[in-house]
Amino acid sequence: MDTELLKTFLEVQKTRHFGKAAENLYLTQSAVSFRVRQLEQSLGVTLFSRFRNNIQLTAAGELLLPHAQAVLTAISAAKQQLNQQYQLQSHRKVLMPAEFAVLLPPKQLSLLFAPQQCWQVHTQSGTYHNVNGSDFDLVIQLGEKPQQLAPLQARCLGYLCWWPVSVNDAVNLQAECSVQHLTLPRLTTAPLSFASTDVRLLWQWLQQNKGCGYLPAPLVQAAVEQGKLHKLSAAPYLQPVWVYHQANDVVAEHWQQTLQSCGVLQAPV
């Protein structure tokens, strides 16, 4: 889910008018309509009731609203904190999946970025499209070993552990959530009930529907230890996390050591 889709959703909700939202976003009205349809298709729900001069949120839209605001606020706060804390002589750019960025609390962020350099953090949900390796110093990618992104080189940072969890001991076979764009094992044979690239939104859905699904261990470990979530008997899923980096760049090695020592990633086997 591209964060631009969430921005468009919030602007339409604010103006209650596709034309006005398009003007505020410097887009065409058809582009705004297309983005809203993309978001609705990715979530599998209708977000707006469309009547002439009367656009209202549906129940699903009302449910999504606070989550969309929270996601954009969190990303904006992270960028602002980094820009304020790291006033550097040289600018370096890193691109990472938004679903991975939410797993990095401020303490981990401060350890990753050296104060001697100025970092610009860019986030994007889902699969990267048309990314130019020369535009970034680091590019983080989830999944199998990526294709070459010249002039950068690929290095495995470690493995992100996904735990099979449920709200109750008894799994609701009719309610399973899944992360879009990622090939994770299934826990049930029932049709998927909900899919999203936002892992925090998946957690909210899982709690409300008393369902099951794979969620990142760094996100849910505290809840499991407190008994709010239950680990299921299925095997955890280890997903490799890769970084594209410049040749002989010590930052990639620093990220690898830091993310593993903080427990965000496990060491490669």
Side-chain angles (χ1 to χ4, degrees):
M1 184 190 303
D2 193 331
T3 53
E4 293 301 319
L5 302 184
L6 294 179
K7 292 179 183 178
T8 304
F9 164 73
L10 291 178
E11 191 62 37
V12 174
Q13 181 275 331
K14 175 183 174 182
T15 61
R16 304 289 172 146
H17 194 281
F18 281 80
K20 293 179 181 178
E23 292 179 7
N24 294 343
L25 295 171
Y26 300 100
L27 297 171
T28 63
Q29 186 168 337
S30 60
V32 170
S33 298
F34 179 72
R35 286 185 176 185
V36 171
R37 286 198 301 273
Q38 275 189 304
L39 183 58
E40 290 179 325
Q41 290 172 0
S42 69
L43 296 175
V45 296
T46 300
L47 299 173
F48 293 102
S49 298
R50 298 166 174 81
F51 302 101
R52 185 176 182 84
N53 298 324
N54 184 21
I55 297 177
Q56 299 293 329
L57 286 174
T58 63
E62 294 284 0
L63 179 62
L64 175 63
L65 181 59
H67 298 298
Q69 293 169 332
V71 169
L72 295 180
T73 298
I75 292 176
S76 176
K79 290 180 178 179
Q80 184 178 8
Q81 180 182 359
L82 290 170
N83 289 334
Q84 290 176 349
Q85 187 168 351
Y86 304 104
Q87 301 296 325
L88 308 186
Q89 299 96 6
S90 59
H91 288 70
R92 309 194 72 190
K93 295 182 179 180
V94 57
L95 173 65
M96 68 175 66
E99 51 268 39
F100 181 72
V102 299
L103 303 179
L104 304 176
K107 181 179 179 180
Q108 274 68 34
L109 286 173
S110 64
L111 294 174
L112 289 174
F113 298 103
Q116 293 80 16
Q117 296 174 324
C118 181
W119 285 90
Q120 295 179 353
V121 179
H122 301 258
T123 58
Q124 182 175 324
S125 293
T127 305
Y128 298 147
H129 295 290
N130 302 321
V131 173
N132 189 337
S134 60
D135 292 337
F136 297 95
D137 297 279
L138 296 177
V139 178
I140 310 299
Q141 181 170 313
L142 304 180
E144 298 304 319
K145 185 174 182 179
Q147 299 296 320
Q148 185 63 33
L149 185 61
L152 305 180
Q153 301 178 357
R155 178 192 188 105
C156 184
L157 291 175
Y159 288 85
L160 177 59
C161 183
W162 296 79
W163 280 354
V165 295
S166 68
V167 174
N168 299 314
D169 290 320
V171 178
N172 183 346
L173 298 181
Q174 300 302 317
E176 181 174 358
C177 62
S178 178
V179 184
Q180 281 184 318
H181 308 301
L182 299 182
T183 305
L184 297 175
R186 292 294 308 277
L187 294 171
T188 72
T189 58
L192 278 177
S193 298
F194 189 68
S196 173
T197 58
D198 184 351
V199 292
R200 293 184 301 184
L201 186 59
L202 290 175
W203 189 7
Q204 292 287 337
W205 180 91
L206 186 147
Q207 292 174 304
Q208 293 172 1
N209 292 273
K210 301 187 184 304
C212 63
Y214 278 89
L215 291 178
L219 179 69
V220 300
Q221 181 174 358
V224 170
E225 293 174 350
Q226 296 167 8
K228 297 178 180 179
L229 286 176
H230 298 273
K231 284 182 66 177
L232 302 177
S233 59
Y237 181 77
L238 295 179
Q239 180 183 53
V241 179
W242 294 85
V243 59
Y244 291 107
H245 63 95
Q246 297 176 351
N248 302 319
D249 191 346
V250 296
V251 173
E253 182 178 358
H254 170 67
W255 274 52
Q256 183 182 48
Q257 295 173 349
T258 301
L259 291 172
Q260 291 180 25
S261 64
C262 292
V264 175
L265 299 181
Q266 296 185 15
V269 179

